[in-house]
Amino acid sequence: MKLNLFTLPLLWLLSACGSGSGSEGEAKAQVVPDAKAPESVAASKNLAIPDNRSLDTYQILVIGNSHVQSIQKLLTLIFQNGLKEKEINIDKRVGAFLDVIVDKESLVELVEARPWTHIILQGQKYSQSQSVLYSTEATRTWIQRAKKKGATPILYPEHPQRGNLLEADYIHSLHVDIADEESSCIAPVGLSWNKVLTIEPDLDLYQADGNHATELGALLSALVLYQVISGQTADTLPYIAELPGTESEQALLGQIASQTVAEHVSCAF
């Protein structure tokens, strides 16, 4: 497999990574619009999701905050060992919520300039207390941009914070609602974490802050993305020594990733 890996510096620095900021103490959910309204998504036709699984070359763009920091490296190793016949080019932009960068000129130009086959989108704001409803307009705009380019959009609902498995269900349902309005693939990342943590609660998936993933936790997320991108099951991957985890741990993560994707329709092609 010919492999071209682009490693780029962080473009945006943002300390908060999972939820949106601001007061969430209201008993009734408060609606928070985007700070800067993107181009209208309401009047645009809901395009079908491009199915690029069978292409010989994958051009993958990952957009999100610090929760996707390790995804480029891990996906590269997975594809290098699992789909050696394909050419894989992975690029990423890391550090901000999707609404903050929706009109960032350099990023919009990047999306337009290259023949992306898959665009992974992480960074929809959400309320940890579920008392604030953040606008999803910017995320829907990113989905539209991907589809207009012929790329498969893949929403990435992040994993739950330590000790709050219900958060994964909430975040996933939020992204299901987005995809109901603007068709998109959804990678059931958080739901796969719930399964693993139920089976092996002591597995080292979290960093000390209880929010960000360790390399092993990020591997689970990457395995889910691998299956959604390629249509190939993660549980058939070989043990990859360069990846984190023991052989049994990698096998468990692959099995759970495959099971979770099978149970939740990721792409309505």
Side-chain angles (χ1 to χ4, degrees):
M1 176 185 71
K2 181 179 178 183
L3 183 67
N4 296 316
L5 176 61
F6 298 85
T7 304
L8 293 131
L10 299 185
L11 297 183
W12 311 282
L13 297 177
L14 195 63
S15 59
C17 299
S19 67
S21 57
S23 174
E24 301 184 1
E26 299 293 333
K28 184 177 180 181
Q30 172 190 359
V31 178
V32 179
D34 288 333
K36 183 177 180 181
E39 66 235 37
S40 174
V41 296
S44 177
K45 182 179 179 181
N46 190 353
L47 300 175
I49 304 171
D51 183 358
N52 294 320
R53 290 174 294 179
S54 63
L55 296 179
D56 293 331
T57 298
Y58 287 164
Q59 300 270 359
I60 303 169
L61 176 62
V62 183
I63 300 175
N65 56 41
S66 59
H67 285 296
V68 301
Q69 181 62 44
S70 299
I71 293 300
Q72 179 189 26
K73 174 185 66 177
L74 297 171
L75 271 180
T76 297
L77 287 169
I78 293 169
F79 276 113
Q80 189 174 19
N81 288 271
L83 287 174
K84 298 178 180 180
E85 71 277 11
K86 289 186 183 289
E87 179 182 346
I88 311 297
N89 302 301
I90 304 178
D91 200 346
K92 70 179 179 182
R93 292 294 186 274
V94 178
F97 294 108
L98 293 174
D99 65 320
V100 175
I101 57 174
V102 68
D103 289 323
K104 188 175 181 63
E105 186 175 351
S106 61
L107 187 51
V108 174
E109 290 177 352
L110 175 65
V111 170
E112 291 297 320
R114 288 172 55 181
W116 305 109
T117 60
H118 302 80
I119 298 182
I120 298 170
L121 300 166
Q122 184 273 331
Q124 164 65 44
K125 288 179 180 174
Y126 71 91
S127 165
Q128 293 173 0
S129 68
Q130 302 181 29
S131 62
V132 177
L133 298 176
Y134 290 94
S135 172
T136 62
E137 188 174 7
T139 300
R140 286 179 283 132
T141 294
W142 283 115
I143 295 171
Q144 286 184 354
R145 288 172 178 166
K147 291 191 292 189
K148 288 177 182 177
K149 283 291 294 181
T152 304
I154 300 174
L155 294 178
Y156 180 156
E158 64 199 58
H159 62 264
Q161 296 184 88
R162 181 187 285 131
N164 188 11
L165 298 187
L166 291 177
E167 188 175 64
D169 295 300
Y170 173 67
I171 300 171
H172 188 84
S173 66
L174 173 62
H175 286 76
V176 169
D177 290 342
I178 294 171
D180 284 343
E181 292 190 60
E182 188 65 46
S183 300
S184 176
C185 294
I186 306 173
V189 170
L191 301 184
S192 71
W193 276 61
N194 278 8
K195 285 183 179 295
V196 171
L197 291 169
T198 299
I199 297 171
E200 294 286 352
D202 295 328
L203 204 59
D204 185 27
L205 301 186
Y206 289 98
Q207 293 184 26
D209 63 5
N211 181 22
H212 291 88
T214 60
E215 287 292 287
L216 187 64
L219 174 60
L220 174 57
S221 303
L223 288 168
V224 173
L225 289 166
Y226 165 79
Q227 184 158 330
V228 175
I229 290 168
S230 67
Q232 303 298 310
T233 56
D235 60 358
T236 59
L237 287 165
Y239 170 66
I240 303 170
E242 295 82 3
L243 290 175
T246 64
E247 186 170 354
S248 61
E249 287 172 339
Q250 287 189 20
L252 172 65
L253 299 187
Q255 290 167 6
I256 296 300
S258 290
Q259 180 184 352
T260 309
V261 174
E263 292 175 349
H264 299 273
V265 178
S266 299
C267 301
F269 291 129

